[in-house]
């Protein structure tokens, strides 16, 4: 038995209003990934580690998710991306934060996992390690999309607030000098754009391969308007990502709360040490992050083939490949 | 009852050869911290969070430990420092990586903890947040000591290896252009210098205050010759540092192994979920990191006042304030 589960982020308050104009493209992307990568996993052509690397790379390529191309834009008008990956077979791991020139941050994390040391790199050192490893280098202009610039402008307008220092404003104004193309935005209705603007988008994957090995991977652009150098849970092994011989986990949500609870490792420890089932462990973790403002979701699978994808927000883009069937969903079932 | 425990790093292979010429200064530093901060804790003048912040700040000020002034030097000839802190009272946390201009990286971590968001910053964003917060800014020249340059030169000489690319060599040679003063090195015997060169030095503190709250803090310069942007376990909540209502932990050792086992959170989960005592949990964690090359040590305390400081290497600089008594040690007891 093999399993592949993926997510494209969780978010939103209140009841789900149904798909936006952009959601069909997201669903199509997820279905294609699940069918193709799931099939390769089923046929024993790829390992769990390869499956999550490939699945997350493809999610990074979809501009409507907040990772790789189409990642959200930080306070200074720049895109910086974070990713991590873990191989349950040997608990090897790789992670990177603040990547700004790579098409596939998850492939740098995978490269670091394979090299064993260092496990984690940030900023310029991460970019240069990716370049040296021969990973595809892209420009900031290629990474940024009109939708993300529109979201960034909305963030900036709501942050030119009383209390902002001149220095804050200078950063914002300097970033504004970018040549911002927002043409394609007009293709969508104002209501839908507003929905998109508050949307989620971190991506992740967990897989169980024919050998019974698990792996997990997560990738993100963080949050629109994030301060320079901010690190959320996504690149942190044990917070955003975990895989061992029992479970594989990829989280999405307000990262700080997932860090404060070490959420991904927590699920694994609840299963191993408290002897609870995977679903209970996932829900216990979500209950633990909530007091810290950690509303979000999780995808988790076990070596027994259990799959859990609970979330405590309006929606979570998610899908599974399980026994030959592809399933995808956005809102509550 | 209050408890304060601190460490100045763990390392070395084989039996302990006794104190080096530099060790008396390290012991004196630790004793002074334990006596002063321990007394303030005993008198109820400071919280556990304030105690670990103050203790680690003072360890950062001691150039013989690898944190703050006297941090080790990276591959490119620059010092970059990592730190994290966690308050067990509310599981708030702060962390920074790649700090290069602050005298006390732990104070930036503390500042981020208090601000709640973002929890973690790296690189330039971390430095600037520290500057904006009014923390003391220092130069790279002030941070680097002759001992660290001597260690860096030894590292460089052993790394001008077959297989190094021209680019590697260029980085090394560029760094060599620094004005390196190694005068003070001659005060020590060659043997002692070699011992120092292989020495540890990450610092950390855990505390239990009169209110029964726990806190933990860890700070480091990483490893001599580390690649640009390398992140070890020290700035990672759950790997190098953890504090909750039951236990407080600060780790030291080969960071990657502590990340792969989420070592600090693991100790907390073993105590909470597996219902083992603190000493057993610490030793189980050390057994888990060992297959990953994670030789090092841990200081841990519980809300019941238990103190454990096991290590699996030659030595760990460590000390406690407990019931009015100051205890310090280097080698095995």
């Amino acid at each position: 038995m093999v399993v592949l589960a993926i997510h494209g982020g969780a978010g939103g308050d209140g009841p789900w209003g149904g798909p936006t104009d952009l959601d069909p493209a997201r669903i199509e992307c997820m279905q294609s990934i699940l069918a193709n990568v799931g099939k390769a996993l089923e046929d024993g052509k790829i390992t769990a580690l390869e499956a999550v690397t490939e699945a997350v790379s493809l999610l990074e390529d979809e501009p409507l998710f907040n990772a790789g191309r189409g990642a959200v834009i930080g306070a200074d008008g720049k895109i910086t991306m974070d990713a991590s990956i873990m191989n349950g077979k040997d608990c090897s791991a790789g992670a990177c934060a603040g990547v700004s020139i790579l098409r596939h941050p998850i492939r740098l994390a995978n490269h670091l996992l394979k090299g064993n040391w260092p496990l984690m790199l940030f900023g310029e050192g991460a970019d240069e390690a990716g370049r040296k490893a021969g990973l595809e280098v892209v420009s900031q202009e290629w990474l940024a999309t009109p939708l993300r610039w529109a979201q960034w402008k909305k963030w900036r307008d709501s942050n030119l607030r009383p209390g902002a220092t001149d220095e804050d404003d200078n950063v914002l104004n300097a970033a504004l000098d970018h040549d911002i193309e927002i043409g394609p935005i007009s293709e969508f209705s104002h209501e839908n754009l507003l929905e998109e603007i508050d949307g989620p988008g971190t991506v992740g994957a967990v897989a169980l391969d024919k050998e019974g090995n698990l792996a997990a991977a997560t990738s993100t652009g963080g949050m629109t308007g994030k301060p320079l150098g901010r690190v959320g849970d996504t690149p942190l092994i044990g917070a955003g990502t975990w895989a061992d011989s029992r479970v594989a986990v990829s989280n999405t949500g307000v990262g700080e709360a997932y860090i404060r609870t070490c959420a991904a490792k927590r699920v694994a420890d609840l299963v191993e040490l408290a002897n609870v089932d995977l679903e209970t462990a996932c829900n216990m973790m979500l209950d633990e992050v909530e007091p810290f403002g950690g509303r979000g979701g999780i995808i988790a699978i076990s070596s027994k083939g259990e799959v859990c994808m609970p979330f405590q927000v309006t929606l979570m883009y998610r899908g599974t490949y399980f026994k030959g069937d592809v399933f995808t969903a956005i809102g509550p079932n």
Side-chain angles (χ1 to χ4, degrees), chain A:
Chain A
M1 176 181 51
V2 305
V3 184
L4 176 66
I6 62 176
H7 72 79
D13 290 307
W16 186 48
T20 69
D21 290 354
L22 301 182
D23 280 344
R26 293 190 178 97
I27 290 293
E28 192 182 342
C29 170
M30 291 198 295
Q31 286 177 339
S32 163
I33 291 169
L34 290 164
N36 294 330
V37 180
K39 181 69 164 48
L41 204 53
E42 190 88 75
D43 293 346
K45 288 181 180 163
I46 57 173
T47 64
L49 182 66
E50 290 165 336
V52 298
T53 306
E54 182 65 15
V56 170
S57 295
L58 291 165
L59 289 162
E60 288 173 337
D61 278 345
E62 169 53 64
L64 292 173
F65 293 119
N66 173 19
R69 184 158 193 235
V72 299
I73 299 169
D76 62 348
K78 296 232 172 89
I79 288 174
T80 55
M81 301 167 288
D82 307 333
S84 66
I85 190 166
M86 191 162 189
N87 189 358
K89 186 179 183 179
D90 58 3
C91 286
S92 56
C96 52
V99 169
S100 65
I101 64 167
L102 301 180
R103 176 173 175 179
H104 296 121
I106 199 63
R107 293 196 182 278
L108 173 58
N110 180 287
H111 172 73
L112 293 169
L113 177 153
K114 287 179 176 166
N116 198 33
W117 192 89
L119 188 155
M120 182 173 187
L121 290 173
F122 73 80
E124 192 190 337
D127 280 338
E128 286 311 309
R131 192 198 293 274
K132 275 194 187 178
L135 299 180
E136 189 173 345
V137 171
V138 294
S139 68
Q140 284 275 310
E141 288 68 31
W142 185 84
L143 289 166
T145 62
L147 176 63
R148 300 312 183 192
W149 275 120
Q151 294 175 336
W152 181 86
K153 285 182 75 177
K154 187 189 177 203
W155 165 83
R156 184 214 51 185
D157 292 344
S158 67
N159 277 271
L160 288 172
R161 61 197 184 283
T165 64
D166 285 350
E167 192 174 346
D168 291 336
D169 288 347
N170 286 342
V171 168
L172 294 169
N173 289 328
L176 237 196
D177 292 339
H178 275 262
D179 181 19
I180 302 170
E181 300 173 36
I182 59 168
I185 292 299
S186 59
E187 293 174 22
F188 307 105
S189 71
H190 183 63
E191 289 69 24
N192 275 343
L193 178 60
L194 284 181
E195 279 185 60
E196 298 296 339
I197 279 176
D198 294 323
T202 293
V203 305
V206 291
L208 172 67
D209 65 24
K210 281 198 117 165
E211 306 292 323
N213 293 315
L214 294 159
T218 315
S219 181
T220 193
M223 301 168 79
T224 299
K226 69 181 177 185
L228 180 66
R230 180 255 184 184
V231 181
D233 64 317
T234 298
L236 304 186
I237 297 298
T241 303
W242 184 263
D244 58 26
S245 62
R246 292 178 189 81
V247 303
V249 169
S250 172
N251 287 324
T252 174
V254 180
E256 281 70 10
Y258 286 81
I259 299 173
R260 290 169 67 183
T261 55
C262 218
K265 173 64 167 166
R266 181 65 170 173
V267 171
D269 279 348
L270 284 166
V271 168
E272 179 194 347
L273 304 175
N275 205 27
V276 300
D277 62 31
L278 188 64
E279 189 179 358
T280 305
C282 290
N283 287 320
M284 286 172 75
M285 180 279 277
L286 289 180
D287 286 346
E288 286 180 16
V289 298
E290 195 161 20
F292 302 135
R295 294 153 41 76
I298 173 175
I299 60 171
I301 62 175
S302 76
S303 55
K304 294 180 251 172
E306 297 162 291
V307 183
C308 299
M309 304 191 289
F311 54 100
Q312 63 209 141
V313 282
T314 304
L315 62 83
M316 180 165 76
Y317 297 97
R318 61 199 188 279
T320 53
Y321 176 94
F322 190 63
K323 296 184 178 172
D325 289 330
V326 167
F327 160 85
T328 56
I330 304 178
N333 284 322

